[in-house]
Amino acid sequence: MTGTGWFFGAALGAKYAGNASLIAWAILGVITIYITLCFAELVSLFPNAGGVYEFGKRSYGNFTSFVVGWITWLDGTLTASLIIVAAIEYLFIGYSTLIKIMLALGILALLHYVAYRGVEASSFLLIAFAIVTIGMIFMIIIPGLFAVNTTHFTPFFPPDFSWLAIGITLFFIVETFFGWEAATFLGEETEHAEKVIPKTMIWSTIVLTILVFVLIFTVLGMIPWHELAGSTTPLNDIGKILFGSKGSYLVGFLVF
C-alpha cells in the first residue's frame, strides 16, 4: 500500500483542490476501509489461492474470473512500472531519459528474479521495503508536525474552488491505497487464513489510512498549497526544510 501516492499525492491533491484535498483524502480513506471489509469477508469465506480470481469464479463463473485475473495482472504490472519510474524520478533528478529507462528495466528484471525465487524471498523484500518506508514517514511526520504553520490552511478552500475538484483529486490519488488486495492471493499458503488475512487487511488499512492523512496534513502545513502544487518531489522538499540539503538527498534515497 505504501506506493507512489504517498510520495506524490500531496502535490497532486494540492494541484487540483488546494488545502481542501484533505477532504478527498478523508473520503478515500473511508471508501478504502469499506472495500477492505468486503474483501476481508470474501477471503474468510474462500481462503484459497487466487484471491480476486477465486472470488470472481465463485460469483460469476470462469469467463469473468479470467477477465478479472487479466485485469489484476495488468494493474499489477502497470503499478509496479509506475512505482519504479516514480522512484527513479526522486533519486536521479536531471539524468537523461535513456539512463532512466535502463535503470527501470534493470530494477524490473531484479524484482522478477526475486518473485521467481518464491514467496520467502518476496516476503523478505516486502518487509524490508515496508520498514524503510514506514520509518521514513515517521522521520518526516514526527518533527514535521511541530513545524506545521496553521496559516497555510487559510483559506481552506481556494478562491475558484468547486466540489468537482474533490472528485478529480480522488481520481488521481485513488492508487494510493492499492495493494492490500494482494494479501488475498496467499489464502492457501497462510495458516488459519480465514482469520489471519482479514484481521491483517483491516488493521493495516486503518493504520495506514490514518498515517497517510497525517503525512498529507504535515506536508500541506509546511509548504503552502500553491507552492506544493508545482513540486515534482514534495517529500524531498520537506526533507530539505527539516534537515537541510543533505536531508533532501536522504529522503530521496529512502523513497527510491
Side-chain angles (χ1 to χ4, degrees), residues 114-215:
V114 171
Y116 167 76
R117 290 296 301 270
V119 173
E120 289 186 6
S122 301
S123 298
F124 175 81
L125 193 65
L126 284 171
I127 291 169
F129 283 165
I131 291 170
V132 170
T133 306
I134 300 300
M136 178 193 64
I137 298 303
F138 276 109
M139 186 179 79
I140 291 172
I141 286 175
I142 293 174
L145 284 173
F146 293 98
V148 166
N149 185 347
T150 54
T151 60
H152 290 170
F153 294 103
T154 306
F156 186 75
F157 295 99
D160 56 346
F161 175 79
S162 74
W163 286 100
L164 180 62
I166 300 297
I168 295 172
T169 302
L170 279 168
F171 176 79
F172 281 101
I173 66 173
V174 70
E175 182 271 336
T176 300
F177 292 115
F178 285 178
W180 42 259
E181 73 283 352
T184 63
F185 301 151
L186 302 176
E188 206 163 277
E189 289 82 9
T190 306
E191 293 184 13
H192 309 296
E194 68 280 359
K195 294 182 179 180
V196 173
I197 294 178
K199 286 181 180 179
T200 302
M201 290 173 64
I202 292 167
W203 281 109
S204 63
T205 302
I206 291 172
V207 169
L208 292 179
T209 297
I210 295 170
L211 201 57
V212 75
F213 185 85
V214 175
L215 175 66

Side-chain angles (χ1 to χ4, degrees), residues 10 19 139-153 214-228 234-244:
N19 290 321
M139 186 179 79
I140 291 172
I141 286 175
I142 293 174
L145 284 173
F146 293 98
V148 166
N149 185 347
T150 54
T151 60
H152 290 170
F153 294 103
V214 175
L215 175 66
I216 301 302
F217 173 84
T218 303
V219 174
L220 284 168
M222 293 182 65
I223 303 175
W225 69 266
H226 49 83
E227 294 181 17
L228 186 63
L235 294 195
N236 280 18
D237 299 337
I238 293 296
K240 189 173 183 178
I241 294 171
L242 291 174
F243 311 112

Side-chain angles (χ1 to χ4, degrees), residues 4-131:
T4 54
W6 292 64
F7 311 137
F8 293 92
L12 280 172
K15 181 178 179 181
Y16 294 103
N19 290 321
S21 61
L22 285 171
I23 298 174
W25 286 101
I27 293 171
L28 180 60
V30 172
I31 292 171
T32 304
I33 292 170
Y34 168 73
I35 297 174
T36 303
L37 291 171
C38 294
F39 271 71
E41 180 69 19
L42 285 166
V43 79
S44 67
L45 290 170
F46 311 115
N48 308 111
V52 292
Y53 174 86
E54 181 70 14
F55 305 152
K57 185 176 180 180
R58 298 271 187 161
S59 303
Y60 304 109
N62 290 333
F63 176 74
T64 300
S65 63
F66 174 81
V67 174
V68 168
W70 267 103
I71 291 173
T72 303
W73 176 83
L74 183 63
D75 173 67
T77 303
L78 290 173
T79 302
S81 302
L82 178 63
I83 290 173
I84 290 168
V85 170
I88 289 171
E89 287 293 335
Y90 251 94
L91 191 62
F92 297 94
I93 300 171
Y95 282 68
S96 70
T97 302
L98 179 62
I99 291 176
K100 291 179 180 179
I101 290 172
M102 296 304 294
L103 284 167
L105 290 173
I107 296 169
L108 271 174
L110 176 63
L111 292 177
H112 277 84
Y113 174 72
V114 171
Y116 167 76
R117 290 296 301 270
V119 173
E120 289 186 6
S122 301
S123 298
F124 175 81
L125 193 65
L126 284 171
I127 291 169
F129 283 165
I131 291 170

